[in-house]
Amino acid sequence: MNSRWGRRGAEILLFIVIVGGIYAWRTRDLLPAGDRVAAPAFELIDLQGRPWSLDALEGKPAVLYFFAPWCAVCAASSPQLRWFHRWQGDDVQVVLVGLDWSSPAELAEYAARHELRLPVLAAGPQTAADYRIRGYPTYYVLDAEGRVAGRDFGYTTAPGLWLRTRGL
């Protein structure tokens, strides 16, 4: 019986190591979070034609959520973004940054389809390069001074975003 539990424990540990290794490999090129470096500056336009810059986000923490309108994981994360915004919207700004799109209408359709009443900025290859975006969704948590406090890749939940933005 003990050998069975030992084997099960070893299998679980191996699984955790493999998943952790894959995660570390996939996030290795993202901007560093531990040093609180300044996020790259940007000047983008939202779907209503209003200009946005990194400076406009300063004053309270923000989540920059980089997505592609064709991304299935982004679509699956959309309800979590809505819930997080309803829950923490007064304390944390959530801004969606669309990449790899064919027209602004495609970004607007994505936001409407997923009932996202959040700012959606239309970005291009330079913004993707500045933020080291290699896949979708990728998101950065910025502190109130516009510095990178956290970053991640893949599916996220409202509680996960809350944990990453707590104390900023």
Side-chain angles (χ1 to χ4, degrees):
M1 178 116 162
N2 283 339
S3 66
R4 189 173 99 182
W5 286 108
R7 180 180 163 99
R8 182 70 61 199
E11 289 171 349
I12 291 170
L13 181 61
L14 178 62
F15 176 77
I16 290 170
V17 168
I18 290 171
V19 169
I22 292 169
Y23 174 80
W25 183 79
R26 291 190 64 140
T27 60
R28 73 192 182 287
D29 292 330
L30 295 177
L31 297 172
D35 301 333
R36 295 280 176 109
V37 298
F42 62 81
E43 291 191 18
L44 301 171
I45 303 296
D46 70 14
L47 298 179
Q48 287 71 40
R50 295 180 300 240
W52 283 73
S53 68
L54 181 65
D55 295 340
L57 300 178
E58 289 184 7
K60 67 178 176 178
V63 174
L64 290 179
Y65 186 83
F66 294 88
F67 75 99
W70 47 261
C71 169
V73 177
C74 301
S77 294
S78 292
Q80 300 297 322
L81 294 171
R82 272 197 323 268
W83 296 333
F84 178 74
H85 177 66
R86 286 181 190 150
W87 182 22
Q88 294 290 303
D90 292 337
D91 298 324
V92 179
Q93 302 174 83
V94 179
V95 178
L96 283 71
V97 182
L99 295 167
D100 202 7
W101 46 274
S102 59
S103 72
E106 184 181 19
L107 295 175
E109 289 167 12
Y110 175 89
R113 182 172 58 252
H114 298 290
E115 301 174 19
L116 295 169
R117 291 171 182 79
L118 301 162
V120 177
L121 311 182
Q126 186 60 54
T127 303
D130 292 346
Y131 278 86
R132 302 182 187 171
I133 307 301
R134 306 282 188 271
Y136 306 107
T138 298
Y139 57 94
Y140 286 95
V141 175
L142 308 181
D143 65 16
E145 286 79 43
R147 299 175 303 193
V148 178
R151 83 280 202 278
D152 217 332
F153 175 86
Y155 182 79
T156 189
T157 63
L161 287 171
W162 177 77
L163 285 172
R164 287 175 180 88
T165 57
R166 247 181 57 201
L168 292 180

